[in-house]
Amino acid sequence: MSDTILERFELGRVWPTADPFLFCVHHDDDYPPGDEELGPIEPLVGRSIGMDFSGRDGWSMYHGSLVPGFPQHPHRGFETISFMRRGLMDHSDSLGAAARFGRGDVQWMTAGRGIVHAEMFPLLRSDDRNPLELFQIWINLPHVDKMVEPHFSMLWDHEIPKHVALDEAGRPTHVTVVAGSLAGQRAPSPPPDSWAARSDTDVAIWHLDLAEDASWTLPVAKYPDTVRALYVFGDGALRIDGDELTTEHGAIIRCDVPVTITDIAAGTEALVLQGRPIKEPVVQYGPFVMTDRRGIQQAYEDYQRTGFGGWPWHEADPNHGPDLARFARHADGRTEEPATADA
């Protein structure tokens, strides 16, 4: 292993992460056409409905029974970042907020002191397949911010910077800047109480798409204690300082020196997660992440007593109907729509 790669690991269903990140999963489902209820037209016989992570026939229902996805469930003490590559997600929460987003959009939700939400994947195309691809990323909150008010921010696709770097041969690397900054371009702001909202935490989330044989040099991080993880997925492979990182593998790489990565496949996609660690104890039990066991116990007691505001929806798995339009309706009644048309 080269001096540039500090640690390497295989990518399973859930990808290994480093502080301040808690969790990362790459959902990539090739759903069939949808029925009138926006679920798959194909029969569900043989699937463990309510707990289907099988990937059978190229797709899973996850915890959904009619529409794929994740019906109502609580969170406390951390943030979820849903980076949609293809398909759509319907968000509904205990504050009465709702959103439909996808096709490059990102929802960044601070659970803080507690929220219940549903994340459903409506299959809106009845005459064609419904591919869905997204990254779900969890980032921790420090103890001082674990009980902040819940909040979500929408980062619409047209607002997210897309940087194109050309190597000496003119081969491009496309970088989508979901968080942080790159080459003078800064991502839209995360929620105000996010670890990433602080000026000194050096949080970055970059999606890399290298053309065949392309090279790109990752910039030096702002701080010596920043931790940078690189994940290779799909059918790609990279050369990093004389070493190889093949598909479905990841690595913690140095970020105190420039590091050049080169495609050694027919094009490679990768994800970069970096940030300065929070350096606090992490105690996680299910959907709650606190700094000690008492915090977890209190989270369960509070959820049983208050329901984190209750559930204002008629179903545990609401979706927002057959209209293709993307939108976000916040708890304060403010409504957003992306500037780009849906099709």
PDB file of all heavy atoms in Angstrom, residues 103-126:
ATOM      1  N   ARG A 103     -33.118  13.626  -9.407  1.00  0.00           N
ATOM      2  CA  ARG A 103     -32.435  14.024 -10.645  1.00  0.00           C
ATOM      3  C   ARG A 103     -31.340  15.053 -10.394  1.00  0.00           C
ATOM      4  O   ARG A 103     -31.245  16.076 -11.067  1.00  0.00           O
ATOM      5  CB  ARG A 103     -33.457  14.536 -11.654  1.00  0.00           C
ATOM      6  CG  ARG A 103     -34.523  13.495 -11.987  1.00  0.00           C
ATOM      7  CD  ARG A 103     -35.647  14.074 -12.802  1.00  0.00           C
ATOM      8  NE  ARG A 103     -36.715  13.071 -12.942  1.00  0.00           N
ATOM      9  CZ  ARG A 103     -37.993  13.357 -13.055  1.00  0.00           C
ATOM     10  NH1 ARG A 103     -38.388  14.613 -13.058  1.00  0.00           N
ATOM     11  NH2 ARG A 103     -38.892  12.410 -13.173  1.00  0.00           N
ATOM     12  N   GLY A 104     -30.520  14.781  -9.369  1.00  0.00           N
ATOM     13  CA  GLY A 104     -29.411  15.673  -9.048  1.00  0.00           C
ATOM     14  C   GLY A 104     -29.635  16.533  -7.833  1.00  0.00           C
ATOM     15  O   GLY A 104     -28.682  17.162  -7.344  1.00  0.00           O
ATOM     16  N   ASP A 105     -30.853  16.582  -7.305  1.00  0.00           N
ATOM     17  CA  ASP A 105     -31.142  17.379  -6.114  1.00  0.00           C
ATOM     18  C   ASP A 105     -30.577  16.706  -4.863  1.00  0.00           C
ATOM     19  O   ASP A 105     -30.327  15.501  -4.822  1.00  0.00           O
ATOM     20  CB  ASP A 105     -32.648  17.554  -5.914  1.00  0.00           C
ATOM     21  CG  ASP A 105     -33.346  18.193  -7.102  1.00  0.00           C
ATOM     22  OD1 ASP A 105     -32.715  19.036  -7.781  1.00  0.00           O
ATOM     23  OD2 ASP A 105     -34.523  17.862  -7.339  1.00  0.00           O
ATOM     24  N   VAL A 106     -30.439  17.515  -3.810  1.00  0.00           N
ATOM     25  CA  VAL A 106     -29.976  17.029  -2.514  1.00  0.00           C
ATOM     26  C   VAL A 106     -30.897  17.590  -1.436  1.00  0.00           C
ATOM     27  O   VAL A 106     -31.207  18.787  -1.435  1.00  0.00           O
ATOM     28  CB  VAL A 106     -28.525  17.474  -2.224  1.00  0.00           C
ATOM     29  CG1 VAL A 106     -28.104  17.085  -0.812  1.00  0.00           C
ATOM     30  CG2 VAL A 106     -27.565  16.879  -3.259  1.00  0.00           C
ATOM     31  N   GLN A 107     -31.318  16.721  -0.526  1.00  0.00           N
ATOM     32  CA  GLN A 107     -31.978  17.201   0.694  1.00  0.00           C
ATOM     33  C   GLN A 107     -31.039  16.965   1.864  1.00  0.00           C
ATOM     34  O   GLN A 107     -30.526  15.861   2.048  1.00  0.00           O
ATOM     35  CB  GLN A 107     -33.300  16.478   0.961  1.00  0.00           C
ATOM     36  CG  GLN A 107     -34.041  17.072   2.159  1.00  0.00           C
ATOM     37  CD  GLN A 107     -35.093  16.153   2.736  1.00  0.00           C
ATOM     38  OE1 GLN A 107     -34.799  15.042   3.163  1.00  0.00           O
ATOM     39  NE2 GLN A 107     -36.331  16.605   2.733  1.00  0.00           N
ATOM     40  N   TRP A 108     -30.828  18.014   2.654  1.00  0.00           N
ATOM     41  CA  TRP A 108     -29.933  17.946   3.812  1.00  0.00           C
ATOM     42  C   TRP A 108     -30.794  18.228   5.038  1.00  0.00           C
ATOM     43  O   TRP A 108     -31.266  19.339   5.233  1.00  0.00           O
ATOM     44  CB  TRP A 108     -28.834  18.982   3.670  1.00  0.00           C
ATOM     45  CG  TRP A 108     -27.666  18.818   4.591  1.00  0.00           C
ATOM     46  CD1 TRP A 108     -27.683  18.567   5.928  1.00  0.00           C
ATOM     47  CD2 TRP A 108     -26.275  18.911   4.230  1.00  0.00           C
ATOM     48  NE1 TRP A 108     -26.418  18.501   6.437  1.00  0.00           N
ATOM     49  CE2 TRP A 108     -25.537  18.706   5.409  1.00  0.00           C
ATOM     50  CE3 TRP A 108     -25.610  19.153   3.036  1.00  0.00           C
ATOM     51  CZ2 TRP A 108     -24.142  18.743   5.426  1.00  0.00           C
ATOM     52  CZ3 TRP A 108     -24.228  19.191   3.052  1.00  0.00           C
ATOM     53  CH2 TRP A 108     -23.500  18.988   4.226  1.00  0.00           C
ATOM     54  N   MET A 109     -31.022  17.195   5.855  1.00  0.00           N
ATOM     55  CA  MET A 109     -31.945  17.321   6.978  1.00  0.00           C
ATOM     56  C   MET A 109     -31.218  17.168   8.305  1.00  0.00           C
ATOM     57  O   MET A 109     -30.552  16.169   8.558  1.00  0.00           O
ATOM     58  CB  MET A 109     -33.054  16.264   6.886  1.00  0.00           C
ATOM     59  CG  MET A 109     -34.163  16.453   7.914  1.00  0.00           C
ATOM     60  SD  MET A 109     -35.370  15.112   7.917  1.00  0.00           S
ATOM     61  CE  MET A 109     -34.465  13.848   8.822  1.00  0.00           C
ATOM     62  N   THR A 110     -31.356  18.175   9.155  1.00  0.00           N
ATOM     63  CA  THR A 110     -30.871  18.117  10.529  1.00  0.00           C
ATOM     64  C   THR A 110     -31.978  17.563  11.406  1.00  0.00           C
ATOM     65  O   THR A 110     -33.019  18.209  11.584  1.00  0.00           O
ATOM     66  CB  THR A 110     -30.464  19.515  11.026  1.00  0.00           C
ATOM     67  OG1 THR A 110     -29.478  20.075  10.155  1.00  0.00           O
ATOM     68  CG2 THR A 110     -29.909  19.458  12.436  1.00  0.00           C
ATOM     69  N   ALA A 111     -31.765  16.371  11.960  1.00  0.00           N
ATOM     70  CA  ALA A 111     -32.779  15.809  12.859  1.00  0.00           C
ATOM     71  C   ALA A 111     -32.783  16.551  14.191  1.00  0.00           C
ATOM     72  O   ALA A 111     -33.838  16.775  14.795  1.00  0.00           O
ATOM     73  CB  ALA A 111     -32.518  14.329  13.081  1.00  0.00           C
ATOM     74  N   GLY A 112     -31.585  16.925  14.679  1.00  0.00           N
ATOM     75  CA  GLY A 112     -31.517  17.653  15.939  1.00  0.00           C
ATOM     76  C   GLY A 112     -32.229  16.913  17.059  1.00  0.00           C
ATOM     77  O   GLY A 112     -32.045  15.714  17.263  1.00  0.00           O
ATOM     78  N   ARG A 113     -33.105  17.630  17.785  1.00  0.00           N
ATOM     79  CA  ARG A 113     -33.746  17.049  18.971  1.00  0.00           C
ATOM     80  C   ARG A 113     -34.769  15.981  18.629  1.00  0.00           C
ATOM     81  O   ARG A 113     -35.200  15.239  19.514  1.00  0.00           O
ATOM     82  CB  ARG A 113     -34.405  18.138  19.795  1.00  0.00           C
ATOM     83  CG  ARG A 113     -35.523  18.899  19.095  1.00  0.00           C
ATOM     84  CD  ARG A 113     -36.048  20.008  19.990  1.00  0.00           C
ATOM     85  NE  ARG A 113     -37.047  20.824  19.323  1.00  0.00           N
ATOM     86  CZ  ARG A 113     -38.340  20.522  19.245  1.00  0.00           C
ATOM     87  NH1 ARG A 113     -38.780  19.408  19.779  1.00  0.00           N
ATOM     88  NH2 ARG A 113     -39.170  21.332  18.629  1.00  0.00           N
ATOM     89  N   GLY A 114     -35.166  15.897  17.351  1.00  0.00           N
ATOM     90  CA  GLY A 114     -36.033  14.796  16.985  1.00  0.00           C
ATOM     91  C   GLY A 114     -37.000  15.122  15.873  1.00  0.00           C
ATOM     92  O   GLY A 114     -37.628  16.179  15.870  1.00  0.00           O
ATOM     93  N   ILE A 115     -37.100  14.216  14.925  1.00  0.00           N
ATOM     94  CA  ILE A 115     -38.046  14.341  13.825  1.00  0.00           C
ATOM     95  C   ILE A 115     -38.411  12.934  13.363  1.00  0.00           C
ATOM     96  O   ILE A 115     -37.626  11.990  13.518  1.00  0.00           O
ATOM     97  CB  ILE A 115     -37.447  15.171  12.663  1.00  0.00           C
ATOM     98  CG1 ILE A 115     -38.529  15.591  11.664  1.00  0.00           C
ATOM     99  CG2 ILE A 115     -36.322  14.410  11.971  1.00  0.00           C
ATOM    100  CD1 ILE A 115     -38.053  16.621  10.649  1.00  0.00           C
ATOM    101  N   VAL A 116     -39.623  12.788  12.848  1.00  0.00           N
ATOM    102  CA  VAL A 116     -40.054  11.559  12.200  1.00  0.00           C
ATOM    103  C   VAL A 116     -40.253  11.884  10.727  1.00  0.00           C
ATOM    104  O   VAL A 116     -40.878  12.902  10.398  1.00  0.00           O
ATOM    105  CB  VAL A 116     -41.364  11.024  12.808  1.00  0.00           C
ATOM    106  CG1 VAL A 116     -41.776   9.714  12.141  1.00  0.00           C
ATOM    107  CG2 VAL A 116     -41.221  10.828  14.310  1.00  0.00           C
ATOM    108  N   HIS A 117     -39.719  11.063   9.850  1.00  0.00           N
ATOM    109  CA  HIS A 117     -39.924  11.324   8.433  1.00  0.00           C
ATOM    110  C   HIS A 117     -40.072  10.018   7.657  1.00  0.00           C
ATOM    111  O   HIS A 117     -39.738   8.935   8.150  1.00  0.00           O
ATOM    112  CB  HIS A 117     -38.804  12.204   7.847  1.00  0.00           C
ATOM    113  CG  HIS A 117     -37.494  11.518   7.616  1.00  0.00           C
ATOM    114  ND1 HIS A 117     -36.607  11.900   6.636  1.00  0.00           N
ATOM    115  CD2 HIS A 117     -36.902  10.481   8.253  1.00  0.00           C
ATOM    116  CE1 HIS A 117     -35.535  11.138   6.673  1.00  0.00           C
ATOM    117  NE2 HIS A 117     -35.677  10.266   7.642  1.00  0.00           N
ATOM    118  N   ALA A 118     -40.624  10.148   6.470  1.00  0.00           N
ATOM    119  CA  ALA A 118     -40.748   9.036   5.533  1.00  0.00           C
ATOM    120  C   ALA A 118     -40.005   9.413   4.259  1.00  0.00           C
ATOM    121  O   ALA A 118     -40.018  10.578   3.839  1.00  0.00           O
ATOM    122  CB  ALA A 118     -42.215   8.746   5.223  1.00  0.00           C
ATOM    123  N   GLU A 119     -39.371   8.408   3.648  1.00  0.00           N
ATOM    124  CA  GLU A 119     -38.620   8.594   2.408  1.00  0.00           C
ATOM    125  C   GLU A 119     -39.084   7.516   1.429  1.00  0.00           C
ATOM    126  O   GLU A 119     -38.651   6.372   1.508  1.00  0.00           O
ATOM    127  CB  GLU A 119     -37.125   8.456   2.666  1.00  0.00           C
ATOM    128  CG  GLU A 119     -36.577   9.405   3.722  1.00  0.00           C
ATOM    129  CD  GLU A 119     -35.268   8.913   4.297  1.00  0.00           C
ATOM    130  OE1 GLU A 119     -35.283   7.906   5.034  1.00  0.00           O
ATOM    131  OE2 GLU A 119     -34.219   9.523   4.004  1.00  0.00           O
ATOM    132  N   MET A 120     -39.958   7.895   0.525  1.00  0.00           N
ATOM    133  CA  MET A 120     -40.554   6.927  -0.400  1.00  0.00           C
ATOM    134  C   MET A 120     -40.092   7.204  -1.831  1.00  0.00           C
ATOM    135  O   MET A 120     -39.786   8.357  -2.187  1.00  0.00           O
ATOM    136  CB  MET A 120     -42.078   6.983  -0.323  1.00  0.00           C
ATOM    137  CG  MET A 120     -42.650   6.848   1.093  1.00  0.00           C
ATOM    138  SD  MET A 120     -42.037   5.394   2.019  1.00  0.00           S
ATOM    139  CE  MET A 120     -42.626   4.059   0.971  1.00  0.00           C
ATOM    140  N   PHE A 121     -40.056   6.153  -2.642  1.00  0.00           N
ATOM    141  CA  PHE A 121     -39.563   6.229  -4.011  1.00  0.00           C
ATOM    142  C   PHE A 121     -40.713   5.935  -4.982  1.00  0.00           C
ATOM    143  O   PHE A 121     -40.887   4.793  -5.432  1.00  0.00           O
ATOM    144  CB  PHE A 121     -38.427   5.232  -4.230  1.00  0.00           C
ATOM    145  CG  PHE A 121     -37.332   5.283  -3.195  1.00  0.00           C
ATOM    146  CD1 PHE A 121     -36.740   4.115  -2.738  1.00  0.00           C
ATOM    147  CD2 PHE A 121     -36.900   6.491  -2.675  1.00  0.00           C
ATOM    148  CE1 PHE A 121     -35.733   4.152  -1.794  1.00  0.00           C
ATOM    149  CE2 PHE A 121     -35.877   6.541  -1.725  1.00  0.00           C
ATOM    150  CZ  PHE A 121     -35.298   5.367  -1.275  1.00  0.00           C
ATOM    151  N   PRO A 122     -41.540   6.933  -5.316  1.00  0.00           N
ATOM    152  CA  PRO A 122     -42.688   6.681  -6.194  1.00  0.00           C
ATOM    153  C   PRO A 122     -42.236   6.331  -7.613  1.00  0.00           C
ATOM    154  O   PRO A 122     -41.331   6.960  -8.165  1.00  0.00           O
ATOM    155  CB  PRO A 122     -43.436   8.012  -6.164  1.00  0.00           C
ATOM    156  CG  PRO A 122     -42.359   9.037  -5.914  1.00  0.00           C
ATOM    157  CD  PRO A 122     -41.405   8.357  -4.968  1.00  0.00           C
ATOM    158  N   LEU A 123     -42.886   5.334  -8.193  1.00  0.00           N
ATOM    159  CA  LEU A 123     -42.564   4.898  -9.554  1.00  0.00           C
ATOM    160  C   LEU A 123     -43.564   5.559 -10.490  1.00  0.00           C
ATOM    161  O   LEU A 123     -44.652   5.050 -10.742  1.00  0.00           O
ATOM    162  CB  LEU A 123     -42.611   3.373  -9.635  1.00  0.00           C
ATOM    163  CG  LEU A 123     -41.775   2.635  -8.578  1.00  0.00           C
ATOM    164  CD1 LEU A 123     -41.830   1.134  -8.812  1.00  0.00           C
ATOM    165  CD2 LEU A 123     -40.335   3.146  -8.541  1.00  0.00           C
ATOM    166  N   LEU A 124     -43.201   6.721 -10.995  1.00  0.00           N
ATOM    167  CA  LEU A 124     -44.143   7.571 -11.724  1.00  0.00           C
ATOM    168  C   LEU A 124     -44.317   7.169 -13.177  1.00  0.00           C
ATOM    169  O   LEU A 124     -45.322   7.521 -13.799  1.00  0.00           O
ATOM    170  CB  LEU A 124     -43.706   9.032 -11.638  1.00  0.00           C
ATOM    171  CG  LEU A 124     -43.631   9.620 -10.231  1.00  0.00           C
ATOM    172  CD1 LEU A 124     -43.246  11.089 -10.290  1.00  0.00           C
ATOM    173  CD2 LEU A 124     -44.944   9.459  -9.490  1.00  0.00           C
ATOM    174  N   ARG A 125     -43.369   6.454 -13.751  1.00  0.00           N
ATOM    175  CA  ARG A 125     -43.483   6.036 -15.143  1.00  0.00           C
ATOM    176  C   ARG A 125     -44.243   4.717 -15.220  1.00  0.00           C
ATOM    177  O   ARG A 125     -43.812   3.712 -14.639  1.00  0.00           O
ATOM    178  CB  ARG A 125     -42.102   5.858 -15.761  1.00  0.00           C
ATOM    179  CG  ARG A 125     -41.214   7.102 -15.710  1.00  0.00           C
ATOM    180  CD  ARG A 125     -41.686   8.170 -16.662  1.00  0.00           C
ATOM    181  NE  ARG A 125     -40.711   9.262 -16.757  1.00  0.00           N
ATOM    182  CZ  ARG A 125     -40.900  10.376 -17.436  1.00  0.00           C
ATOM    183  NH1 ARG A 125     -42.030  10.563 -18.089  1.00  0.00           N
ATOM    184  NH2 ARG A 125     -39.973  11.310 -17.476  1.00  0.00           N
ATOM    185  N   SER A 126     -45.367   4.725 -15.908  1.00  0.00           N
ATOM    186  CA  SER A 126     -46.135   3.493 -16.058  1.00  0.00           C
ATOM    187  C   SER A 126     -45.835   2.774 -17.375  1.00  0.00           C
ATOM    188  O   SER A 126     -46.241   1.630 -17.556  1.00  0.00           O
ATOM    189  CB  SER A 126     -47.636   3.793 -15.986  1.00  0.00           C
ATOM    190  OG  SER A 126     -48.018   4.687 -17.031  1.00  0.00           O
TER     191      SER A 126
END
